[in-house]
Amino acid sequence: MARTVWDSSVGKKTVMAVSGLIMLLYLVVHMIGNLKIFFGAGEFNHYAHWLRTVGEPFMHYEWTLWLVRIVLVLAVVAHATSAYQLSRRDIKARPDKYVHKKPRASYATRTMRWGGIILALFIVWHILDLTTGTVHSGGFQEGHPYQNVVDTFSTWYGNVIYVVAMLALGLHVRHGFWSAAQTLGVGSRARDRALKTVANVLALLLTAGFIAVPVGVMTGVVS
Amino acid sequence: MKLTLRVWRQKNADAEGAMSTYQVDRISSDMSFLEMLDTLNEELILNGEDPVAFDHDCREGICGACSLVINGDAHGPERTTTCQLHMRSFEDGDTIDIEPWRASAFPVIKDLVVDRSAFDRIIQAGGYVTAPTGAAPEAHATPVPKPDADFAFEHAECIGCGACVAACPNGAAMLFTSAKVNHLNVLPQGAPERETRVLDMVGQMDAEGFGGCTLAGECATACPKGIPLVSITGMNKEWLRATRKAGKR
């Protein structure tokens, strides 16, 4: 069955839909967590520490966190691999372009591929910046996420990279969520408007929620 | 009407093609688009030139033979087939670009004619019912609920012209295949092959080198018969159901 799914263009889209929804669920949780930065360093840092102790005493320190990380890495790899393979197929299926060109589909639909690449690059930077601290501006302090976040958004490039990526995320989710519903066969005429509304609301809330943090630092609400 | 036409000319499948410019005069706004091309061809023949090759058959909008991308739109600016498009949809003095369907699964044979036998092979893979043929069976022998009959008929309207493929940015045949799958899968006559039909037809569609669906929706906008985009959702559902069932067996 796994073979049938992976070998079919429809099956590969299913892999994209499921992995995308897993990442989307994570993003909603992540965004809500981020908002705790507006309640001060104490609450934010405490929340960050709690993420490492979730599930104790059943789970050991950081086990849950690592489990989430593994699932996310698998989702990203599955999403990117199927996107790459499907895109290759799509480009090969339409080698000759029309001479008479027309603007096609919505902006969100047309930017799925480039948006995905931007998001993949962003994830790499984001982890190197705020998880490992490898490319962090100023001294990265393990266990002091509040200060680290403030440092990142005190640089112009930190803000630019983040805001651009979050706008790309909004567009990606806008088309992606609705598409995933169609791929999984849960869309219908009656549900179409509701699905599109949920996609737009999710896209808007995620983008606004994430961008609130750099805006907070820039305006001095968070310092 | 006086028009400038820019037409894709290509001697054969292996030759390089290019857009050629022609002027046509004394075109009536009541002419169909194909009659306008007939006028051009008569002139070309009189001048000893090679007429433009294009597909056409019934000229009633029911056979699915005509296939032109007009100013970047499959079947032109109206939601109908090229044969049912009339010159009143254009203005005097317009320049009109005419190109063939573009997809690697639909190779150009000559000028505006493409080879659409890939669609025939998708149908052969499962777009039929295995039932004894002969005299029409008694209509009440197999009851079909009205909503199912309507659903089947809506999808049966597909004439297999390939406008969906031509309009799709990925050259995908999802709308065509889904129309055929949904048409038969909802009916009791199609039930015995419900799973193999969708699996085999999607498999053949992939094997023909059509692209995948990115839900751009261009296919449903171009479809002269109004097959809805949600038809693809229905096929995805059928495909997942069939895959789950095949996995259990």
Side-chain angles (χ1 to χ4, degrees):
Chain A
M1 191 169 136
R3 200 68 259 175
T4 326
V5 170
W6 191 247
D7 285 346
S8 164
S9 67
V10 174
K12 227 165 253 177
K13 275 289 279 194
T14 314
V15 174
M16 280 196 81
V18 172
S19 54
L21 289 175
I22 291 171
M23 292 188 278
L24 184 59
L25 181 71
Y26 169 79
L27 284 177
V28 172
V29 176
H30 187 5
M31 188 271 285
I32 295 170
N34 282 6
L35 295 180
K36 296 195 172 56
I37 202 156
F38 292 101
F39 301 101
E43 181 159 345
F44 190 70
N45 289 347
H46 177 253
Y47 163 72
H49 182 74
W50 171 81
L51 290 175
R52 280 149 184 82
T53 61
V54 179
E56 281 183 6
F58 178 70
M59 299 296 258
H60 183 69
Y61 181 75
E62 283 196 349
W63 273 16
T64 312
L65 187 68
W66 275 103
L67 202 68
V68 171
R69 284 173 176 170
I70 290 164
V71 170
L72 281 176
V73 166
L74 289 177
V76 169
V77 170
H79 201 74
T81 311
S82 43
Y84 172 75
Q85 292 185 4
L86 284 167
S87 297
R88 281 279 303 261
R89 160 178 275 280
D90 295 345
I91 292 163
K92 231 175 98 191
R94 173 56 92 63
D96 303 303
K97 304 280 165 261
Y98 288 110
V99 175
H100 191 110
K101 286 184 176 55
K102 285 207 145 186
R104 292 285 174 203
S106 73
Y107 189 74
T109 311
R110 282 184 280 132
T111 52
M112 285 306 272
R113 283 176 195 145
W114 278 109
I117 292 168
I118 289 173
L119 288 172
L121 292 174
F122 167 76
I123 292 170
V124 173
W125 173 79
H126 191 53
I127 290 172
L128 291 178
D129 178 36
L130 286 171
T131 307
T132 64
T134 321
V135 298
H136 190 71
S137 53
F140 180 79
Q141 299 173 60
E142 185 91 45
H144 293 88
Y146 186 92
Q147 192 52 47
N148 293 334
V149 169
V150 170
D151 287 348
T152 290
F153 295 130
S154 299
T155 62
W156 65 269
Y157 59 87
N159 287 317
V160 169
I161 295 173
Y162 197 84
V163 171
V164 167
M166 288 313 106
L167 293 174
L169 173 72
L171 287 170
H172 206 77
V173 168
R174 186 184 173 185
H175 181 70
F177 178 79
W178 176 80
S179 288
Q182 310 309 316
T183 303
L184 296 174
V186 295
S188 71
R189 272 197 190 98
R191 250 180 253 154
D192 203 54
R193 182 179 283 222
L195 282 169
K196 280 196 169 127
T197 308
V198 173
N200 287 340
V201 168
L202 268 173
L204 209 66
L205 282 182
L206 282 175
T207 307
F210 278 124
I211 289 182
V213 179
V215 169
V217 177
M218 277 189 270
T219 54
V221 176
V222 177
S223 59
Chain B
M1 292 169 85
K2 197 171 176 172
L3 299 164
T4 305
L5 305 177
R6 300 202 302 158
V7 186
W8 183 262
R9 300 304 308 261
Q10 185 174 338
K11 268 205 151 40
N12 55 56
D14 305 317
E16 283 276 317
M19 298 296 270
S20 294
T21 309
Y22 303 96
Q23 307 286 338
V24 284
D25 201 355
R26 288 167 50 186
I27 297 295
S28 155
S29 61
D30 292 333
M31 278 182 179
S32 78
F33 199 84
L34 295 185
E35 283 168 336
M36 184 275 294
L37 285 180
D38 292 338
T39 312
L40 167 69
N41 275 347
E42 278 168 17
E43 224 167 278
L44 290 177
I45 292 165
L46 282 176
N47 296 339
E49 289 175 58
D50 194 20
V52 178
F54 61 89
D55 263 328
H56 62 103
D57 191 20
C58 74
R59 299 205 178 197
E60 290 179 339
I62 55 171
C63 77
C66 56
S67 50
L68 301 175
V69 172
I70 302 159
N71 285 342
D73 289 320
H75 291 304
E78 311 284 338
R79 192 183 185 125
T80 185
T81 53
T82 300
C83 64
Q84 294 298 299
L85 174 69
H86 289 82
M87 297 316 293
R88 54 180 162 268
S89 301
F90 300 90
E91 301 285 329
D92 187 30
D94 271 1
T95 299
I96 306 173
D97 290 335
I98 310 170
E99 298 174 73
W101 280 180
R102 290 287 186 205
S104 59
F106 285 168
V108 173
I109 298 171
K110 184 176 166 41
D111 298 338
L112 303 168
V113 179
V114 298
D115 180 0
R116 282 172 283 181
S117 38
F119 268 13
D120 297 337
R121 290 187 291 272
I122 293 176
I123 293 293
Q124 280 167 16
Y128 52 82
V129 291
T130 6
T133 52
E138 209 279 312
H140 288 299
T142 318
V144 179
K146 182 71 166 77
D148 290 357
D150 288 346
F151 181 85
F153 194 79
E154 185 183 11
H155 290 95
E157 276 193 75
C158 168
I159 52 175
C161 63
C164 44
V165 178
C168 176
N170 313 320
M174 289 286 280
L175 196 70
F176 165 77
T177 312
S178 68
K180 301 302 171 190
V181 165
N182 288 329
H183 161 210
L184 296 174
N185 271 23
V186 73
L187 293 172
Q189 290 88 340
E193 295 103 356
R194 187 173 166 186
E195 290 85 26
T196 53
R197 175 176 301 114
V198 62
L199 293 176
D200 292 348
M201 288 180 83
V202 168
Q204 189 63 37
M205 179 188 87
D206 282 348
E208 295 292 345
F210 288 106
C213 183
T214 49
L215 277 313
E218 296 297 334
C219 53
T221 309
C223 178
K225 295 296 157 182
I227 306 293
L229 188 60
V230 74
S231 178
I232 292 177
T233 313
M235 178 168 78
N236 289 336
K237 193 176 177 181
E238 285 293 312
W239 190 90
L240 288 170
R241 179 185 169 277
T243 306
R244 277 197 305 272
K245 280 198 125 186
K248 273 183 210 150
R249 215 170 286 139

